């Protein structure tokens, strides 16, 4: 009786064993297939990053190699997630001039969000004048309401802008890098844990409506379908002109933030021409991807 029962159970155990083996085998197959898919994806991603960065650097190099003025340029391509940076002078220090006004406003909005308050009508008027018309007196007044020239350093720290520092005497001589400016721009135009959505929308609106006479720099070479939000900076320094242009560009083929910093330009026009050559080369390259 016992022997007969065991004989009946064996086929069931065998089927169960085979089933377990099959499931285990399928799981292993999926595991290794998944690893291969991930590896293929990473390889493709790496190729995209390499190609895009190489194309941009090649386009920039043809311009930078002919220049004596120190330049720092960086671009973050939102479509691919690729960040590319290049400089023809690794030891150069770049002063912000008026592009720091974006940080001044961002920090003021951060302070208000922390305190649960909003801009006063007076602050709103100053902010519009500072960003859209690049009014220097408005920038100074807003810094006073924030608590002084060095207050935006708190924003830099929160955002991880480790190479940006406010000048305690002259805000136009604050220092930064192109990649730090990308960090700020990404927090304004894409997403942020530091700036609220309403703050970001407010800043976008102002930067999208810059005075016509200041619509130069990263606007160069854009096609009719493109939109631009920007803030430029220009300042005559003892060693030449500081010319900077930063902002956000979108078109049918592209979506990116860009920062171009330059100093020691022989003239204002020469600096603007240099920045615009780089901006045009960037737009052409990214729209050809």
């Amino acid at each position: 009786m016992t022997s007969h029962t065991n004989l009946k159970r064996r086929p069931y155990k065998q089927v169960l064993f085979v089933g377990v083996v099959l499931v285990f085998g399928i799981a292993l197959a999926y595991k290794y297939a998944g690893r291969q898919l991930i590896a293929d994806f990473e390889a493709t991603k790496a190729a995209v990053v390499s190609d895009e960065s190489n194309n941009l650097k090649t386009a920039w190099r043809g311009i930078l190699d002919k220049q004596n003025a120190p330049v720092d340029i960086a671009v973050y391509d939102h479509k691919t997630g690729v960040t590319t940076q290049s400089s023809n002078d690794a030891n150069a220090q770049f002063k912000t001039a008026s592009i720091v006004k974006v940080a001044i406003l961002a920090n003021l909005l951060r302070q208000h969000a922390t305190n649960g308050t909003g801009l006063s009508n007076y602050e709103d008027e100053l902010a519009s004048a500072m960003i859209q018309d690049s009014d220097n007196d408005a920038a100074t007044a807003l810094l006073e309401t924030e608590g002084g020239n060095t207050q935006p350093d708190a924003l830099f720290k929160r955002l991880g802008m480790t190479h940006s520092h406010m000048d305690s005497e002259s805000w136009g001589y604050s220092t930064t890098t192109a990649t730090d400016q990308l960090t700020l721009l990404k927090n304004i135009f894409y997403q942020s844990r530091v700036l609220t959505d309403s703050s970001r929308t407010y800043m976008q609106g102002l930067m999208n409506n810059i005075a016509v006479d200041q619509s130069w720099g990263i606007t160069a070479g854009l096609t009719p379908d493109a939109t631009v939000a920007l803030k430029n900076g220009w300042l005559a320094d003892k060693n030449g002109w500081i010319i900077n242009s930063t902002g956000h560009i979108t078109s049918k083929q592209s979506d990116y933030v860009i920062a171009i910093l330059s100093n020691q330009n022989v003239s204002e026009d020469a600096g603007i021409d240099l920045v615009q050559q780089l901006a045009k080369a960037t737009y052409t390259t990214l729209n050809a991807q």
Side-chain angles (χ1 to χ4, degrees), residues 77 79 225-226 249-256 283 286-287:
D77 184 347
K79 287 192 171 184
D225 64 293
I249 304 287
T250 57
S251 70
K252 292 178 181 178
Q253 300 295 325
S254 58
D255 180 355
Y256 61 94
Y283 185 74
L286 290 180
N287 276 266

Side-chain angles (χ1 to χ4, degrees), residues 97-116:
S98 286
I99 62 169
V100 77
K101 292 169 182 174
V102 176
I104 292 171
L105 179 55
N107 189 60
L108 176 64
L109 293 169
R110 181 192 65 83
Q111 288 181 338
H112 274 297
T114 300
N115 297 328

Side-chain angles (χ1 to χ4, degrees), residues 184-200:
L184 177 58
L185 292 167
K186 286 162 67 175
N187 273 267
I188 296 170
F189 290 98
Y190 298 127
Q191 59 184 1
S192 178
R193 295 182 179 180
V194 176
L195 302 175
T196 65
D197 288 345
S198 59
S199 295
R200 293 172 54 248

Side-chain angles (χ1 to χ4, degrees), residues 146-201:
E146 291 179 33
N149 274 20
T150 61
Q151 286 301 304
D153 281 338
L155 174 73
F156 299 153
K157 184 176 181 180
R158 291 286 301 275
L159 293 179
M161 297 170 63
T162 56
H163 298 288
S164 296
H165 307 283
M166 294 296 295
D167 188 286
S168 60
E169 300 297 325
S170 177
W171 49 259
Y173 279 176
S174 300
T175 55
T176 192
T177 63
T179 51
D180 266 10
Q181 288 302 304
L182 288 193
T183 296
L184 177 58
L185 292 167
K186 286 162 67 175
N187 273 267
I188 296 170
F189 290 98
Y190 298 127
Q191 59 184 1
S192 178
R193 295 182 179 180
V194 176
L195 302 175
T196 65
D197 288 345
S198 59
S199 295
R200 293 172 54 248
T201 299

Side-chain angles (χ1 to χ4, degrees), residues 94-104 130 134 136 139 143 165-167 170-176 181 216 231-237 240-246 260-263:
F94 293 91
K95 296 174 182 176
T96 60
S98 286
I99 62 169
V100 77
K101 292 169 182 174
V102 176
I104 292 171
M130 179 178 69
S134 203
N136 292 336
L143 278 171
H165 307 283
M166 294 296 295
D167 188 286
S170 177
W171 49 259
Y173 279 176
S174 300
T175 55
T176 192
Q181 288 302 304
W216 49 264
K231 183 68 193 81
N232 294 328
W234 60 102
L235 181 65
D237 196 18
W241 277 85
I242 298 166
I243 301 293
N244 303 327
S245 189
T246 65
I260 309 174
L261 314 179
S262 71
N263 58 42

